Amino acid sequence: MQTRKTYLYACLVLLVMALALPLLAQGTKIKVIVENATIRLNPSLDSEAIEESVALNTVFTSEKKVGEWYEVKVESNVGVLLIGYIHEMYVEVMAEEAPRPPAQEEKPLAGEVRRPEPLLPAEYGPKKMEIFLGGGLGLGSFLSKASAYSVSWSYGWISVDEGGQIQHKVNNPFGLGISFSYFFTNELGIRLRADPNFGQEISNGQSHFSADYVWGWGSDSDDLTWPVTGDLSVLPLSLDLVYRFPAGSFSPYLNAGVSYFISKFKSETNIGWANTWWLTYQVNQAYDYLVLPVSIDESLNGVGFNFGAGLDFLIGPSLAITLDAAYFLGKSVEAKWYMPPGRYYYTGWTSNYTEFNQTDSNDFADYLDPVKINTSFFKIMLGIKALF
């Protein structure tokens, strides 16, 4: 009798298990509630994606949940069944299924910082490559304000005070910004960047010469001006490290790196130069001045640095408006004026001339203040960034 009871109990237990197992195997039915949801190989935002375009309203049966990730099965292009994970923010438990009790949230360890979950759909997330095109203003003191010279001298009964000033400046230029970035992780990447500047011609440049001379029975003066022409070109080519902070619609970033400056300064103008001498066996004394051409042709190529920051505002899955600010630290030089050697005639009432050889021409530059040229500048731009 006891044996029959034991047999009946065993059969009853087996019957209950047989009825319960199919119900357990049904799992939880979930439905995708966003366009192009992503299924990842492991339950982590950093994990490789095995499916990046799951359609809206797709239904899965999940038999397991790991933290905030549902385990699902998807079929690959070659028909192989793969196991992956989809985040709970992209799905909802279907109404006909009684949802399972939520998994108990893991508390972070002391000192552990948890990354916030993205606020946008997965297709708005960080991309591997970025191409930027923008424009803006370059700000800086590119040239010193003026080059000056002055001298007082006398010869016989004539005394002369002469001098001049070459005024030269360039306006703050408009510049383009073109860059290509590649990211090794969601945060860290490298960037190639070019920043050509335009419109750096010398603005309202003028060379002014004046001379006052006095002799035994009278005095006179000269006052002359000549235009100053030229331009400055500054083009830094940069290789930077970029660190971005993916945070939904707004994504700020920092950058720093090395720049190679391709730069050149050219300028041309005239200056006045007075002289006096004795005529007709030192009975009469003459005064006159020369008009001497001077120029600068200086290359400023060299290595420098840059650092900056910016902000991307996402307006689509693959497009952002970008505000970028950077400081470029380049070479600074003092460029001397050059006068070519040759024969120069006086422009007043005399027909005399003065010969300048190469040594004289080189020494002549010491009378003029050099032009201080600075290729460092600050640049702020607004542009469009394509994300891939």
PDB file of all heavy atoms in Angstrom, residues 39-42 48-51 60-61 70-85:
ATOM      1  N   ILE A  39      21.347  45.858 -31.170  1.00  0.00           N
ATOM      2  CA  ILE A  39      21.566  44.659 -30.344  1.00  0.00           C
ATOM      3  C   ILE A  39      23.065  44.436 -30.261  1.00  0.00           C
ATOM      4  O   ILE A  39      23.759  44.422 -31.289  1.00  0.00           O
ATOM      5  CB  ILE A  39      20.859  43.425 -30.941  1.00  0.00           C
ATOM      6  CG1 ILE A  39      19.343  43.636 -30.939  1.00  0.00           C
ATOM      7  CG2 ILE A  39      21.231  42.167 -30.151  1.00  0.00           C
ATOM      8  CD1 ILE A  39      18.560  42.504 -31.557  1.00  0.00           C
ATOM      9  N   ARG A  40      23.588  44.289 -29.028  1.00  0.00           N
ATOM     10  CA  ARG A  40      25.024  44.184 -28.824  1.00  0.00           C
ATOM     11  C   ARG A  40      25.408  42.779 -28.396  1.00  0.00           C
ATOM     12  O   ARG A  40      24.586  42.003 -27.899  1.00  0.00           O
ATOM     13  CB  ARG A  40      25.495  45.209 -27.793  1.00  0.00           C
ATOM     14  CG  ARG A  40      25.160  46.637 -28.207  1.00  0.00           C
ATOM     15  CD  ARG A  40      25.770  47.676 -27.312  1.00  0.00           C
ATOM     16  NE  ARG A  40      25.430  49.012 -27.769  1.00  0.00           N
ATOM     17  CZ  ARG A  40      26.102  49.684 -28.700  1.00  0.00           C
ATOM     18  NH1 ARG A  40      27.157  49.116 -29.261  1.00  0.00           N
ATOM     19  NH2 ARG A  40      25.734  50.896 -29.060  1.00  0.00           N
ATOM     20  N   LEU A  41      26.683  42.465 -28.623  1.00  0.00           N
ATOM     21  CA  LEU A  41      27.184  41.125 -28.328  1.00  0.00           C
ATOM     22  C   LEU A  41      27.171  40.845 -26.832  1.00  0.00           C
ATOM     23  O   LEU A  41      26.901  39.725 -26.394  1.00  0.00           O
ATOM     24  CB  LEU A  41      28.606  40.968 -28.884  1.00  0.00           C
ATOM     25  CG  LEU A  41      29.261  39.602 -28.734  1.00  0.00           C
ATOM     26  CD1 LEU A  41      28.452  38.536 -29.451  1.00  0.00           C
ATOM     27  CD2 LEU A  41      30.691  39.635 -29.258  1.00  0.00           C
ATOM     28  N   ASN A  42      27.465  41.864 -26.022  1.00  0.00           N
ATOM     29  CA  ASN A  42      27.493  41.737 -24.569  1.00  0.00           C
ATOM     30  C   ASN A  42      26.623  42.829 -23.958  1.00  0.00           C
ATOM     31  O   ASN A  42      26.369  43.859 -24.599  1.00  0.00           O
ATOM     32  CB  ASN A  42      28.930  41.843 -24.038  1.00  0.00           C
ATOM     33  CG  ASN A  42      29.798  40.706 -24.527  1.00  0.00           C
ATOM     34  OD1 ASN A  42      29.499  39.544 -24.307  1.00  0.00           O
ATOM     35  ND2 ASN A  42      30.890  41.034 -25.222  1.00  0.00           N
ATOM     36  N   GLU A  48      30.467  45.386 -28.974  1.00  0.00           N
ATOM     37  CA  GLU A  48      30.269  45.392 -30.419  1.00  0.00           C
ATOM     38  C   GLU A  48      28.805  45.166 -30.768  1.00  0.00           C
ATOM     39  O   GLU A  48      28.117  44.355 -30.138  1.00  0.00           O
ATOM     40  CB  GLU A  48      31.128  44.300 -31.051  1.00  0.00           C
ATOM     41  CG  GLU A  48      30.947  44.136 -32.556  1.00  0.00           C
ATOM     42  CD  GLU A  48      31.724  42.947 -33.086  1.00  0.00           C
ATOM     43  OE1 GLU A  48      32.462  42.319 -32.303  1.00  0.00           O
ATOM     44  OE2 GLU A  48      31.563  42.644 -34.277  1.00  0.00           O
ATOM     45  N   ALA A  49      28.325  45.892 -31.780  1.00  0.00           N
ATOM     46  CA  ALA A  49      26.949  45.737 -32.236  1.00  0.00           C
ATOM     47  C   ALA A  49      26.862  44.583 -33.225  1.00  0.00           C
ATOM     48  O   ALA A  49      27.650  44.505 -34.173  1.00  0.00           O
ATOM     49  CB  ALA A  49      26.444  47.014 -32.876  1.00  0.00           C
ATOM     50  N   ILE A  50      25.903  43.659 -33.008  1.00  0.00           N
ATOM     51  CA  ILE A  50      25.701  42.566 -33.967  1.00  0.00           C
ATOM     52  C   ILE A  50      24.491  42.836 -34.849  1.00  0.00           C
ATOM     53  O   ILE A  50      24.294  42.165 -35.848  1.00  0.00           O
ATOM     54  CB  ILE A  50      25.568  41.212 -33.241  1.00  0.00           C
ATOM     55  CG1 ILE A  50      24.352  41.215 -32.288  1.00  0.00           C
ATOM     56  CG2 ILE A  50      26.835  40.875 -32.487  1.00  0.00           C
ATOM     57  CD1 ILE A  50      24.106  39.872 -31.640  1.00  0.00           C
ATOM     58  N   GLU A  51      23.663  43.802 -34.482  1.00  0.00           N
ATOM     59  CA  GLU A  51      22.537  44.227 -35.312  1.00  0.00           C
ATOM     60  C   GLU A  51      22.240  45.686 -34.976  1.00  0.00           C
ATOM     61  O   GLU A  51      21.986  46.025 -33.828  1.00  0.00           O
ATOM     62  CB  GLU A  51      21.308  43.362 -35.034  1.00  0.00           C
ATOM     63  CG  GLU A  51      20.060  43.777 -35.808  1.00  0.00           C
ATOM     64  CD  GLU A  51      20.266  43.715 -37.307  1.00  0.00           C
ATOM     65  OE1 GLU A  51      20.626  42.622 -37.814  1.00  0.00           O
ATOM     66  OE2 GLU A  51      20.088  44.747 -37.968  1.00  0.00           O
ATOM     67  N   PHE A  60      10.482  40.203 -29.551  1.00  0.00           N
ATOM     68  CA  PHE A  60      11.418  39.151 -29.159  1.00  0.00           C
ATOM     69  C   PHE A  60      10.869  38.436 -27.927  1.00  0.00           C
ATOM     70  O   PHE A  60      10.087  39.004 -27.159  1.00  0.00           O
ATOM     71  CB  PHE A  60      12.799  39.726 -28.805  1.00  0.00           C
ATOM     72  CG  PHE A  60      13.539  40.311 -29.958  1.00  0.00           C
ATOM     73  CD1 PHE A  60      13.588  41.684 -30.140  1.00  0.00           C
ATOM     74  CD2 PHE A  60      14.204  39.497 -30.860  1.00  0.00           C
ATOM     75  CE1 PHE A  60      14.286  42.240 -31.182  1.00  0.00           C
ATOM     76  CE2 PHE A  60      14.900  40.045 -31.907  1.00  0.00           C
ATOM     77  CZ  PHE A  60      14.942  41.424 -32.083  1.00  0.00           C
ATOM     78  N   THR A  61      11.334  37.215 -27.747  1.00  0.00           N
ATOM     79  CA  THR A  61      11.091  36.481 -26.506  1.00  0.00           C
ATOM     80  C   THR A  61      12.406  36.380 -25.755  1.00  0.00           C
ATOM     81  O   THR A  61      13.374  35.809 -26.258  1.00  0.00           O
ATOM     82  CB  THR A  61      10.544  35.078 -26.782  1.00  0.00           C
ATOM     83  OG1 THR A  61       9.299  35.205 -27.461  1.00  0.00           O
ATOM     84  CG2 THR A  61      10.333  34.319 -25.477  1.00  0.00           C
ATOM     85  N   TYR A  70      18.082  42.878 -21.886  1.00  0.00           N
ATOM     86  CA  TYR A  70      17.359  41.656 -22.188  1.00  0.00           C
ATOM     87  C   TYR A  70      18.184  40.809 -23.152  1.00  0.00           C
ATOM     88  O   TYR A  70      18.717  41.315 -24.152  1.00  0.00           O
ATOM     89  CB  TYR A  70      16.009  41.973 -22.843  1.00  0.00           C
ATOM     90  CG  TYR A  70      14.975  42.495 -21.884  1.00  0.00           C
ATOM     91  CD1 TYR A  70      14.718  43.855 -21.772  1.00  0.00           C
ATOM     92  CD2 TYR A  70      14.238  41.616 -21.089  1.00  0.00           C
ATOM     93  CE1 TYR A  70      13.760  44.342 -20.888  1.00  0.00           C
ATOM     94  CE2 TYR A  70      13.270  42.088 -20.208  1.00  0.00           C
ATOM     95  CZ  TYR A  70      13.046  43.448 -20.113  1.00  0.00           C
ATOM     96  OH  TYR A  70      12.099  43.912 -19.241  1.00  0.00           O
ATOM     97  N   GLU A  71      18.296  39.532 -22.847  1.00  0.00           N
ATOM     98  CA  GLU A  71      18.969  38.600 -23.756  1.00  0.00           C
ATOM     99  C   GLU A  71      17.962  38.145 -24.806  1.00  0.00           C
ATOM    100  O   GLU A  71      16.859  37.683 -24.488  1.00  0.00           O
ATOM    101  CB  GLU A  71      19.505  37.396 -22.980  1.00  0.00           C
ATOM    102  CG  GLU A  71      20.258  36.393 -23.860  1.00  0.00           C
ATOM    103  CD  GLU A  71      20.716  35.185 -23.072  1.00  0.00           C
ATOM    104  OE1 GLU A  71      21.710  35.320 -22.321  1.00  0.00           O
ATOM    105  OE2 GLU A  71      20.063  34.133 -23.200  1.00  0.00           O
ATOM    106  N   VAL A  72      18.346  38.263 -26.099  1.00  0.00           N
ATOM    107  CA  VAL A  72      17.471  37.877 -27.207  1.00  0.00           C
ATOM    108  C   VAL A  72      18.272  37.074 -28.216  1.00  0.00           C
ATOM    109  O   VAL A  72      19.501  37.063 -28.192  1.00  0.00           O
ATOM    110  CB  VAL A  72      16.854  39.115 -27.892  1.00  0.00           C
ATOM    111  CG1 VAL A  72      15.933  39.850 -26.938  1.00  0.00           C
ATOM    112  CG2 VAL A  72      17.949  40.036 -28.415  1.00  0.00           C
ATOM    113  N   LYS A  73      17.537  36.407 -29.103  1.00  0.00           N
ATOM    114  CA  LYS A  73      18.165  35.635 -30.171  1.00  0.00           C
ATOM    115  C   LYS A  73      17.810  36.257 -31.508  1.00  0.00           C
ATOM    116  O   LYS A  73      16.643  36.578 -31.767  1.00  0.00           O
ATOM    117  CB  LYS A  73      17.692  34.187 -30.125  1.00  0.00           C
ATOM    118  CG  LYS A  73      18.121  33.437 -28.865  1.00  0.00           C
ATOM    119  CD  LYS A  73      17.591  32.019 -28.849  1.00  0.00           C
ATOM    120  CE  LYS A  73      18.016  31.292 -27.556  1.00  0.00           C
ATOM    121  NZ  LYS A  73      17.488  29.911 -27.505  1.00  0.00           N
ATOM    122  N   VAL A  74      18.847  36.464 -32.351  1.00  0.00           N
ATOM    123  CA  VAL A  74      18.648  37.024 -33.683  1.00  0.00           C
ATOM    124  C   VAL A  74      19.342  36.149 -34.701  1.00  0.00           C
ATOM    125  O   VAL A  74      20.347  35.490 -34.407  1.00  0.00           O
ATOM    126  CB  VAL A  74      19.194  38.469 -33.775  1.00  0.00           C
ATOM    127  CG1 VAL A  74      18.387  39.405 -32.916  1.00  0.00           C
ATOM    128  CG2 VAL A  74      20.664  38.518 -33.388  1.00  0.00           C
ATOM    129  N   GLU A  75      18.815  36.156 -35.900  1.00  0.00           N
ATOM    130  CA  GLU A  75      19.390  35.345 -36.974  1.00  0.00           C
ATOM    131  C   GLU A  75      20.301  36.212 -37.821  1.00  0.00           C
ATOM    132  O   GLU A  75      19.922  37.298 -38.262  1.00  0.00           O
ATOM    133  CB  GLU A  75      18.266  34.761 -37.840  1.00  0.00           C
ATOM    134  CG  GLU A  75      18.780  33.765 -38.879  1.00  0.00           C
ATOM    135  CD  GLU A  75      17.630  33.105 -39.636  1.00  0.00           C
ATOM    136  OE1 GLU A  75      16.497  33.104 -39.111  1.00  0.00           O
ATOM    137  OE2 GLU A  75      17.865  32.598 -40.734  1.00  0.00           O
ATOM    138  N   SER A  76      21.532  35.727 -38.058  1.00  0.00           N
ATOM    139  CA  SER A  76      22.501  36.477 -38.853  1.00  0.00           C
ATOM    140  C   SER A  76      22.181  36.379 -40.332  1.00  0.00           C
ATOM    141  O   SER A  76      21.242  35.668 -40.739  1.00  0.00           O
ATOM    142  CB  SER A  76      23.913  35.946 -38.594  1.00  0.00           C
ATOM    143  OG  SER A  76      24.061  34.653 -39.130  1.00  0.00           O
ATOM    144  N   ASN A  77      22.964  37.089 -41.153  1.00  0.00           N
ATOM    145  CA  ASN A  77      22.755  37.086 -42.609  1.00  0.00           C
ATOM    146  C   ASN A  77      22.946  35.707 -43.225  1.00  0.00           C
ATOM    147  O   ASN A  77      22.432  35.422 -44.307  1.00  0.00           O
ATOM    148  CB  ASN A  77      23.702  38.080 -43.275  1.00  0.00           C
ATOM    149  CG  ASN A  77      23.382  39.500 -42.882  1.00  0.00           C
ATOM    150  OD1 ASN A  77      22.237  39.815 -42.547  1.00  0.00           O
ATOM    151  ND2 ASN A  77      24.364  40.381 -42.911  1.00  0.00           N
ATOM    152  N   VAL A  78      23.742  34.864 -42.558  1.00  0.00           N
ATOM    153  CA  VAL A  78      24.014  33.527 -43.103  1.00  0.00           C
ATOM    154  C   VAL A  78      23.153  32.463 -42.416  1.00  0.00           C
ATOM    155  O   VAL A  78      23.407  31.268 -42.545  1.00  0.00           O
ATOM    156  CB  VAL A  78      25.513  33.188 -42.966  1.00  0.00           C
ATOM    157  CG1 VAL A  78      26.358  34.103 -43.816  1.00  0.00           C
ATOM    158  CG2 VAL A  78      25.946  33.267 -41.499  1.00  0.00           C
ATOM    159  N   GLY A  79      22.159  32.912 -41.648  1.00  0.00           N
ATOM    160  CA  GLY A  79      21.237  31.977 -41.044  1.00  0.00           C
ATOM    161  C   GLY A  79      21.648  31.401 -39.717  1.00  0.00           C
ATOM    162  O   GLY A  79      21.014  30.482 -39.204  1.00  0.00           O
ATOM    163  N   VAL A  80      22.720  31.924 -39.129  1.00  0.00           N
ATOM    164  CA  VAL A  80      23.182  31.433 -37.826  1.00  0.00           C
ATOM    165  C   VAL A  80      22.441  32.183 -36.726  1.00  0.00           C
ATOM    166  O   VAL A  80      22.294  33.416 -36.785  1.00  0.00           O
ATOM    167  CB  VAL A  80      24.705  31.619 -37.680  1.00  0.00           C
ATOM    168  CG1 VAL A  80      25.159  31.160 -36.297  1.00  0.00           C
ATOM    169  CG2 VAL A  80      25.438  30.847 -38.765  1.00  0.00           C
ATOM    170  N   LEU A  81      21.972  31.445 -35.722  1.00  0.00           N
ATOM    171  CA  LEU A  81      21.249  32.058 -34.611  1.00  0.00           C
ATOM    172  C   LEU A  81      22.247  32.602 -33.599  1.00  0.00           C
ATOM    173  O   LEU A  81      23.077  31.850 -33.074  1.00  0.00           O
ATOM    174  CB  LEU A  81      20.327  31.030 -33.957  1.00  0.00           C
ATOM    175  CG  LEU A  81      19.191  31.592 -33.085  1.00  0.00           C
ATOM    176  CD1 LEU A  81      18.260  32.466 -33.930  1.00  0.00           C
ATOM    177  CD2 LEU A  81      18.433  30.461 -32.412  1.00  0.00           C
ATOM    178  N   LEU A  82      22.191  33.920 -33.358  1.00  0.00           N
ATOM    179  CA  LEU A  82      23.118  34.580 -32.438  1.00  0.00           C
ATOM    180  C   LEU A  82      22.385  35.032 -31.184  1.00  0.00           C
ATOM    181  O   LEU A  82      21.198  35.367 -31.228  1.00  0.00           O
ATOM    182  CB  LEU A  82      23.764  35.797 -33.111  1.00  0.00           C
ATOM    183  CG  LEU A  82      24.548  35.529 -34.391  1.00  0.00           C
ATOM    184  CD1 LEU A  82      25.038  36.848 -34.975  1.00  0.00           C
ATOM    185  CD2 LEU A  82      25.730  34.598 -34.120  1.00  0.00           C
ATOM    186  N   ILE A  83      23.081  35.006 -30.073  1.00  0.00           N
ATOM    187  CA  ILE A  83      22.558  35.518 -28.813  1.00  0.00           C
ATOM    188  C   ILE A  83      23.124  36.904 -28.570  1.00  0.00           C
ATOM    189  O   ILE A  83      24.346  37.105 -28.621  1.00  0.00           O
ATOM    190  CB  ILE A  83      22.905  34.574 -27.647  1.00  0.00           C
ATOM    191  CG1 ILE A  83      22.213  33.223 -27.833  1.00  0.00           C
ATOM    192  CG2 ILE A  83      22.485  35.202 -26.318  1.00  0.00           C
ATOM    193  CD1 ILE A  83      22.543  32.220 -26.759  1.00  0.00           C
ATOM    194  N   GLY A  84      22.265  37.905 -28.347  1.00  0.00           N
ATOM    195  CA  GLY A  84      22.703  39.265 -28.097  1.00  0.00           C
ATOM    196  C   GLY A  84      21.876  39.903 -26.994  1.00  0.00           C
ATOM    197  O   GLY A  84      21.031  39.246 -26.349  1.00  0.00           O
ATOM    198  N   TYR A  85      22.129  41.234 -26.799  1.00  0.00           N
ATOM    199  CA  TYR A  85      21.481  41.934 -25.696  1.00  0.00           C
ATOM    200  C   TYR A  85      20.971  43.279 -26.191  1.00  0.00           C
ATOM    201  O   TYR A  85      21.650  43.983 -26.951  1.00  0.00           O
ATOM    202  CB  TYR A  85      22.460  42.135 -24.535  1.00  0.00           C
ATOM    203  CG  TYR A  85      22.911  40.835 -23.912  1.00  0.00           C
ATOM    204  CD1 TYR A  85      23.998  40.124 -24.451  1.00  0.00           C
ATOM    205  CD2 TYR A  85      22.260  40.296 -22.812  1.00  0.00           C
ATOM    206  CE1 TYR A  85      24.415  38.924 -23.902  1.00  0.00           C
ATOM    207  CE2 TYR A  85      22.674  39.101 -22.247  1.00  0.00           C
ATOM    208  CZ  TYR A  85      23.750  38.418 -22.795  1.00  0.00           C
ATOM    209  OH  TYR A  85      24.156  37.230 -22.234  1.00  0.00           O
TER     210      TYR A  85
END
